Amino acid sequence: MNGSFPTGGFSGAAGFGGPGGSGGPASMIFEAMDQLRKSFEQRPGGSSRMARGDVRVAVITLLTEEPMHGYQIINEIAERSGGAWKPSAGSVYPTLQLLADEGLITAEEQNGRKTYSLTGTGREEAEIAAEKPAPWEAFSSRDGAHITALPKAGMDLAGAAAQVARTGSPEQVQEAVTVLEEARRRLYAILAQD
């Protein structure tokens, strides 16, 4: 990743000038975070996307535990996969609609959100689904927890850097740059080890 992140954007008067004018360090941090996210999405060994059938099974499996709304389902899948799989709203909500159309779930309006629950027929399908490992378990067995830990740590670090860029003084921003440069050097030193 060396060279793919913007550098030098924290120099200049008061540390907020940045090259290229209007962007400034905060926008450069967000650009770097986006590049970081994309680099982990393209990791070797497979995609973080799952088939629509896996989304269906995941939704049914989660709803056996408790009624949930769509956003809860998305976050729960992401958490259980260690961050390796976070289905989009564009895959979860159509799946919920399909399951409702099939009579497997019902939707109830609560606090302005639709909360979904399994019907009796849905519970029967959930019992069948329970005979196989949950879809998010494929990530832990295929990639191992160490693979998902690195992207999470990188995104957490980028988030902290963005916070410093938004709210830190020029001196704090420069100190953060020094810390990040040292972290980058240390990461490359890890790769250089035998």
Side-chain angles (χ1 to χ4, degrees):
M1 259 189 261
N2 191 17
S4 65
F5 286 88
T7 58
F10 298 106
S11 60
F16 286 88
S22 65
S27 66
M28 294 176 70
I29 290 286
F30 290 117
E31 181 182 327
M33 288 174 65
D34 189 50
Q35 290 175 359
L36 178 68
R37 179 185 54 78
K38 287 177 183 173
S39 70
F40 282 119
E41 285 177 353
Q42 297 167 0
R43 69 183 186 268
S47 167
S48 62
R49 298 184 63 126
M50 296 289 279
R52 187 167 297 279
D54 293 318
V55 174
R56 176 188 175 96
V57 172
V59 168
I60 290 171
T61 301
L62 289 174
L63 292 179
T64 61
E65 298 173 12
E66 65 178 306
M68 294 183 181
H69 55 79
Y71 184 70
Q72 258 180 306
I73 291 169
I74 292 168
N75 286 335
E76 195 64 33
I77 291 170
E79 185 176 314
R80 293 184 189 206
S81 69
W85 176 35
K86 185 171 184 178
S88 68
S91 63
V92 170
Y93 285 101
T95 300
L96 288 166
Q97 184 60 53
L98 180 65
L99 292 171
D101 292 347
E102 293 175 5
L104 300 177
I105 64 172
T106 59
E108 183 180 313
E109 191 84 23
Q110 291 180 348
N111 300 325
R113 291 185 173 194
K114 284 187 179 181
T115 301
Y116 300 91
S117 305
L118 289 174
T119 63
T121 308
R123 293 204 176 280
E124 291 172 15
E125 185 149 330
E127 288 176 19
I128 295 168
E131 295 172 9
K132 297 179 182 173
W136 51 79
E137 291 176 12
F139 286 101
S140 59
S141 63
R142 182 180 68 218
D143 296 337
H146 67 284
I147 297 297
T148 59
L150 185 59
K152 182 179 181 332
M155 292 303 292
D156 290 347
L157 178 63
Q163 181 69 29
V164 173
R166 280 192 307 271
T167 62
S169 69
E171 294 79 19
Q172 289 171 323
V173 169
Q174 189 54 51
E175 186 177 347
V177 169
T178 303
V179 168
L180 292 174
E181 287 173 348
E182 175 62 20
R184 180 182 50 80
R185 282 192 292 274
R186 292 184 65 185
L187 288 171
Y188 281 119
I190 290 170
L191 290 175
Q193 296 172 2
D194 289 333

